[in-house]
Amino acid sequence: MTGQEHPVLRTDGLTVRFGGHVAVNNVTAEFHRGTLTAIVGPNGAGKTTFFNLISGQLKATEGRAFLNEEDITSMPVSERTHKGLARAFQLTNLFSNLTVRENVRLAVQSRAGIGLNIFMMADRHRELNEKADHFLARVGLYDQAEVIASTLPHGGQRKLEVALMLALEHDVLMFDEPTAGMSVDEVPVILDLIHEIKADKNKTVLMVEHKMDVIHSLADRIIVLHNGFLVADGEPKEVMSSPIVQEAYLGTGVADHV
Amino acid sequence: MFSYIFSGDFPRSKLLTLLLVVIVVGLVLTPWLFPGSRSMETAMRIAIFIVLVASYDLLLGYTGIVSFAHTMFFGIGAYGVAITLNEMGRGYDAIFIGTALGFVGSVLLAFLIGLFSLRVKAIFFAMVTLAVASAFTLLVSQLYQFTGGEDGLTYSIPRELSPAFKLMKDKVFGVSINGKLVLYYCILFASFGLFLFMLRVVNSPFGRVLQAIRENEFRAEAIGYRTVIYRTATNCLAAGMAALAGSLMAIWLKYTGPDTTLSLNIMVDILLMVVIGGMGTLYGAVIGSTLFIMAQNYLQELMKVASDQFSAMGLPLLPDLIHPDRWLLWFGILFILSVYFFPTGIVGRLRKAKT
Ligand SMILES: Nc1ncnc2c1ncn2[C@@H]1O[C@H](COP(=O)(O)OP(=O)(O)OP(=O)(O)O)[C@@H](O)[C@H]1O
Ligand SMILES: [Mg+2]
């Protein structure tokens, strides 16, 4: 196919209900190769829940999700990961009692598909170690490789969270507020990294983010969620100036970021 | 070289290393150091239980699976060999076929149990294993034509492995070199081999995934590990190892019955050994089994000696308190104290002390 390539990731009327509450309501969206889409919306809008539906932590009540035009709606999480989805979590979610290197090595090992090997010595696998160190260096954690993950400061844990996702070497990357709670001097490391990833035209990036400056510098496109509904979808300039967004989003106190 | 054999997983404590060396050397030299069949029985029991307990630790300590079916798999291995030896006569072919059948049967059964129940909550899985194990015990006692029922089976093993078969006319340092001694070393080295294999497993990429699942199952799944597959695989592996331990036991004892293999008492013993030694470290299985079995076998005698001493000294109360009949009470107290003071087991404690 030339010209109009099929979307790498696509959702079709994705919906999830918790009792009476509809957290994601009939969301249809497409994500194309080589683009970075920012997903914005006030707290509780359903952004993380939307991610959970795509990566499989939650099962959709209605609607479908497609990865490379393959229906992934009912696949288990691990299978979606193997199909090419990689995700970093909003709430840091690590193997806390293992070392930083061991955390990343687990992701590298998953990608290498050798998890069921029972004869090899895991620590002696040169390639695994080198790859793990490579990703640690990329997020600036190489010097802390031997540290137990839970003893890293918050910013460090956020970086490790991202390293775990990168180490899967997949083409669809989902960041959920990657810089939230990071100190000012640590944020640029992650942002530079996302810039780098974006430069790779094979990647499709989805990023939930609140900080408007970050969105402006990175996003090719913005999706706005509000009360579970997709209320706007388009180029950053056009989305930010649309009346519905002005009302839904900018009225919530995030305006001071703009 | 050492690092390869031990899969790079060393005891990481001088005292622990020393203890392990003493245990291994003790087991290897038992026929010479402590002549007599009783000490050889004890040593074999320790060696085989090291395998059995280590395999249970794969489940409990490394994967966080609570199963009560471990003695069932131990029993399947034992009965496999017992039945074939009983039916086919005392041949190596019978031993081989019995061991293989026991192993394959255990792995398959573990796979089925896992398939149907590893997705559910841990407590349900534990219940299922308990139910299956009870049903199996019942089945064994019902099928007495094959299994000997409650009485069990007594059979012969190849002549070359029996005391009557002398390899040398003269004794070597007071020990006669006969078939039984050969069998002793075969089983001992088979046990060491199986242990080292499991040590490799826990330090392999597979072992790392188990660790990851225990740490954070949600994230393990999210980075692409289908956790139910890993659980099932561990379940099968542990069952296979338990079956092999059972086969070794059956060959050594030349008797297999419900009491030596299937009983729930043994299940409890295994649990205690894992906990005393330290969960999630295979070296704990070595320490736990050795201490437990030594205590089981010798605490009573020790108490008798002490009790007699005290009563000879005319002390009141004390002789009664440590009367050999109360050994289980003391054993229980020792257990509670050890768990209280070493919640991470002896190995965990020693590693923390870092000598
Ligand atoms: N598992 C769940 N069960 C019940 N309600 C849920 C569940 N997950 C999310 N919700 C609800 O769905 C709504 C959307 O939550 P979500 O975490 O997706 O918001 P968000 O847009 O990521 O917000 P934030 O910016 O605070 O991260 C919230 O009202 C939340 O309480
Ligand atoms: Mg969120």
Side-chain angles (χ1 to χ4, degrees):
Chain A
M1 264 199 291
T2 49
Q4 196 60 33
E5 228 183 319
H6 67 75
V8 173
L9 182 69
R10 175 162 79 82
T11 68
D12 182 6
L14 217 49
T15 302
V16 67
R17 285 193 195 88
F18 300 116
H21 179 68
V22 189
V24 170
N25 204 337
N26 195 21
V27 174
T28 300
E30 290 185 352
F31 303 91
H32 288 269
R33 192 179 300 282
T35 62
L36 188 148
T37 309
I39 296 158
V40 303
N43 290 352
K47 305 179 295 291
T48 299
T49 308
F50 182 55
F51 269 19
N52 283 338
L53 291 174
I54 293 173
S55 58
Q57 276 80 19
L58 281 174
K59 298 274 165 267
T61 324
E62 274 162 50
R64 320 214 65 85
F66 299 86
L67 183 64
N68 294 314
E69 290 303 295
E70 182 179 8
D71 190 342
I72 58 168
T73 318
S74 48
M75 276 183 195
V77 174
S78 54
E79 204 178 334
R80 299 185 199 209
T81 304
H82 279 293
K83 297 276 179 193
L85 281 180
R87 164 157 187 210
F89 291 86
Q90 177 176 10
L91 299 174
T92 308
N93 201 328
L94 302 166
F95 303 106
S96 331
N97 293 316
L98 306 185
T99 64
V100 168
R101 179 182 283 119
E102 194 62 62
N103 267 271
V104 179
R105 202 160 48 192
L106 277 162
V108 175
Q109 182 184 298
S110 167
R111 169 69 198 203
I114 55 169
L116 283 169
N117 186 319
I118 56 172
F119 299 108
M120 189 191 282
M121 265 192 266
D123 298 355
R124 298 299 157 86
H125 199 292
R126 271 252 315 275
E127 225 173 296
L128 286 190
N129 285 326
E130 281 170 8
K131 267 215 167 131
D133 287 349
H134 164 76
F135 289 108
L136 285 176
R138 272 192 83 178
V139 298
L141 279 179
Y142 183 77
D143 294 334
Q144 277 120 302
E146 297 301 331
V147 171
I148 299 293
S150 61
T151 64
L152 282 179
H154 177 78
Q157 296 197 19
R158 296 298 301 159
K159 289 179 185 168
L160 184 52
E161 182 70 38
V162 171
L164 268 177
M165 173 179 62
L166 292 182
L168 292 173
E169 298 180 274
H170 285 326
D171 286 343
V172 180
L173 303 174
M174 303 165 73
F175 292 89
D176 198 345
E177 304 196 27
T179 61
M182 274 187 150
S183 68
V184 194
D185 48 320
E186 283 174 321
V187 172
V189 181
I190 295 296
L191 293 186
D192 288 350
L193 193 64
I194 299 176
H195 268 290
E196 247 175 70
I197 293 166
K198 206 181 109 118
D200 179 347
K201 288 300 169 205
N202 279 318
K203 306 284 183 198
T204 308
V205 185
L206 280 67
M207 183 174 73
V208 173
E209 187 54 81
H210 280 300
K211 299 185 185 105
M212 282 303 153
D213 48 339
V214 174
I215 295 171
H216 278 302
S217 75
L218 281 169
D220 304 305
R221 173 179 158 224
I222 296 182
I223 283 181
V224 184
L225 291 182
H226 187 58
N227 289 334
F229 288 101
L230 188 154
V231 294
D233 177 354
E235 304 249 318
K237 258 196 220 111
E238 130 200 15
V239 167
M240 294 325 288
S241 57
S242 77
I244 189 161
V245 173
Q246 295 288 332
E247 185 195 336
Y249 194 68
L250 304 180
T252 58
V254 190
D256 11 306
H257 287 285
V258 183
Chain B
M1 166 70 183
F2 262 133
S3 169
Y4 183 79
I5 293 174
F6 293 98
S7 306
D9 184 357
F10 293 109
R12 300 208 308 273
S13 146
K14 273 187 192 138
L15 194 54
L16 178 57
T17 311
L18 187 72
L19 269 175
L20 291 169
V21 169
V22 167
I23 290 171
V24 170
V25 171
L27 287 174
V28 171
L29 296 182
T30 292
W32 275 272
L33 291 179
F34 318 101
S37 75
R38 168 125 189 250
S39 56
M40 254 162 103
E41 295 302 323
T42 309
M44 277 290 91
R45 202 174 161 75
I46 290 175
I48 293 169
F49 266 73
I50 286 175
V51 176
L52 185 61
V53 172
S55 67
Y56 192 68
D57 196 27
L58 288 181
L59 285 181
L60 186 66
Y62 283 88
T63 325
I65 297 174
V66 180
S67 161
F68 293 110
H70 215 57
T71 46
M72 175 178 76
F73 298 121
F74 186 56
I76 291 175
Y79 274 99
V81 168
I83 292 171
T84 45
L85 277 173
N86 197 39
E87 302 280 329
M88 297 170 58
R90 56 195 308 195
Y92 295 101
D93 50 347
I95 291 182
F96 180 77
I97 293 173
T99 306
L101 283 179
F103 179 80
V104 173
S106 285
V107 171
L108 282 180
L109 187 56
F111 180 73
L112 285 178
I113 297 177
L115 208 62
F116 288 116
S117 48
L118 272 174
R119 292 159 183 277
V120 299
K121 284 220 173 68
I123 181 77
F124 289 117
F125 180 78
M127 294 299 168
V128 170
T129 57
L130 193 57
V132 174
S134 310
F136 186 80
T137 311
L138 213 65
L139 190 72
V140 165
S141 74
Q142 294 292 311
L143 293 175
Y144 52 85
Q145 302 97 310
F146 296 108
T147 62
E150 295 296 322
D151 296 334
L153 292 171
T154 309
Y155 40 85
S156 317
I157 55 172
R159 213 181 81 81
E160 298 80 26
L161 301 175
S162 70
F165 184 78
K166 300 260 186 288
L167 279 90
M168 285 184 208
K169 250 206 248 86
D170 303 315
K171 293 187 169 190
V172 177
F173 297 112
V175 175
S176 62
I177 310 298
N178 57 28
K180 188 172 180 184
L181 196 71
V182 172
L183 182 61
Y184 179 90
Y185 283 108
C186 286
I187 292 180
L188 188 63
F189 288 113
S191 301
F192 287 163
L194 289 173
F195 178 82
L196 291 175
F197 168 68
M198 285 186 270
L199 196 60
R200 171 55 61 90
V201 169
V202 300
N203 288 291
S204 69
F206 178 80
R208 292 288 181 263
V209 179
L210 296 188
Q211 207 175 14
I213 294 175
R214 195 181 43 173
E215 275 286 313
N216 186 345
E217 179 169 358
F218 175 86
R219 191 56 190 260
E221 189 86 33
I223 58 174
Y225 296 114
R226 189 77 196 277
T227 52
V228 64
I229 290 180
Y230 286 86
R231 287 248 178 76
T232 311
T234 318
N235 205 31
C236 292
L237 190 73
M241 290 294 124
L244 292 179
S247 300
L248 292 177
M249 196 61 139
I251 297 166
W252 176 254
L253 289 178
K254 290 176 274 187
Y255 164 79
T256 296
D259 299 339
T260 57
T261 54
L262 297 171
S263 122
L264 207 57
N265 286 337
I266 301 180
M267 193 60 244
V268 173
D269 289 353
I270 296 173
L271 258 166
L272 295 183
M273 291 183 219
V274 169
V275 173
I276 292 173
M279 281 198 278
T281 143
L282 287 188
Y283 291 116
V286 180
I287 306 282
S289 316
T290 308
L291 281 184
F292 192 95
I293 292 168
M294 294 289 269
Q296 234 178 7
N297 281 291
Y298 298 107
L299 188 64
Q300 223 169 343
E301 258 133 89
L302 205 70
M303 286 171 63
K304 183 166 165 35
V305 172
S307 173
D308 289 351
Q309 278 289 324
F310 287 134
S311 72
M313 287 156 71
L315 290 171
L317 204 61
L318 211 55
D320 280 336
L321 212 57
I322 56 173
H323 192 275
D325 286 350
R326 305 217 203 312
W327 84 274
L328 252 175
L329 171 74
W330 285 103
F331 191 60
I333 291 176
L334 276 180
F335 173 67
I336 292 169
L337 287 179
S338 86
V339 172
Y340 185 78
F341 286 108
F342 314 131
T344 50
I346 292 169
V347 171
R349 180 79 195 95
L350 288 177
R351 280 188 172 164
K352 205 144 109 216
K354 264 269 157 81
T355 37

